[in-house]
């Protein structure tokens, strides 16, 4: 049976999930950092929905390799790009957070993970801002604060910077508090 455009469109629920319909929510910034969670949900320019990898265990058998599921699951660092405004409030908060983790002059820092880790929520939205799926990155903290490029020949653009986070794992739910899926 030949596929038709009508059949294709009937399978594409809601017209397809749109990459520009998302929201990032930091549950709380650690104590000692300015809490700019509300600003961040508007000024987060781009990010990704988190991925995962299950390692494969390879077993050789009579000249063939058999791949079996391994014992570990890995989560790559998660990254977001933030639009910088003239107050630098969001960037300042990340700098304060990272200073709490590792002080630049003393090389000391927070030793209790609860003092520098937080959960981050990434929501995929539909075109009416209804939450389609919610990912929660558990025990996240920044590991890299990207540079901001400045240049005389950069006209008509607003600065942005990236922040990379390590996290332990994530959970995924349908909607904003729906059925657990991961």
């Amino acid at each position: 049976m030949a596929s038709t455009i009508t059949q294709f469109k009937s399978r594409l629920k809601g017209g397809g999930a749109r990459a520009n319909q998302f929201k990032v929510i930091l549950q709380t910034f650690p104590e000692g950092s300015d809490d700019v969670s509300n600003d961040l949900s508007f000024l987060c320019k781009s990010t990704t929905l988190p991925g995962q990898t299950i390692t494969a265990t390879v077993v050789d058998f009579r000249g063939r390799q058999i791949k079996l599921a391994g014992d570990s699951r890995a989560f790559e660092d998660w990254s977001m790009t933030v639009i910088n405004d003239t107050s630098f409030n969001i960037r300042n908060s990340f700098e304060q957070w990272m200073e709490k983790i590792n002080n630049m002059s003393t090389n000391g820092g927070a030793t209790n993970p609860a003092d520098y880790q937080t959960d981050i929520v990434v929501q995929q939205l539909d075109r009416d801002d209804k939450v389609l799926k919610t990912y929660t990155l558990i025990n996240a903290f920044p590991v890299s604060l990207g540079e901001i490029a400045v240049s005389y020949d950069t006209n008509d653009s607003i600065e942005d910077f990236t922040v990379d986070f390590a996290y332990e794992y994530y959970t995924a739910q349908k909607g904003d508090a729906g059925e657990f899926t991961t």
Side-chain angles (χ1 to χ4, degrees), residues 75-78 117-118 120 137-144 164-169:
F75 302 95
E76 297 292 323
D77 287 351
W78 176 80
Q117 294 178 341
T118 191
I120 299 174
L137 285 62
I138 307 297
N139 297 329
F141 61 95
V143 294
S144 174
D164 298 326
F165 293 84
Y167 62 99
E168 292 179 21
Y169 63 97

Side-chain angles (χ1 to χ4, degrees), residues 57-73:
T57 298
V58 178
V59 178
D60 292 319
F61 178 75
R62 297 183 180 172
R64 302 271 188 227
Q65 289 188 336
I66 301 169
K67 295 183 180 181
L68 305 171
D71 293 332
S72 66
R73 186 184 301 228

Side-chain angles (χ1 to χ4, degrees), residues 34 54 64 88 97 115-116 129-130 145 169 171 174 178:
D34 295 331
I54 294 179
R64 302 271 188 227
F88 278 71
W97 189 352
D115 292 338
Y116 63 86
D129 285 340
K130 179 183 172 199
L145 180 61
Y169 63 97
T171 61
K174 293 179 182 177

Side-chain angles (χ1 to χ4, degrees), residues 25-37:
I25 304 163
L26 259 77
Q27 301 290 37
T28 57
F29 272 77
E31 187 177 328
S33 304
D34 295 331
D35 189 350
V36 292
S37 299

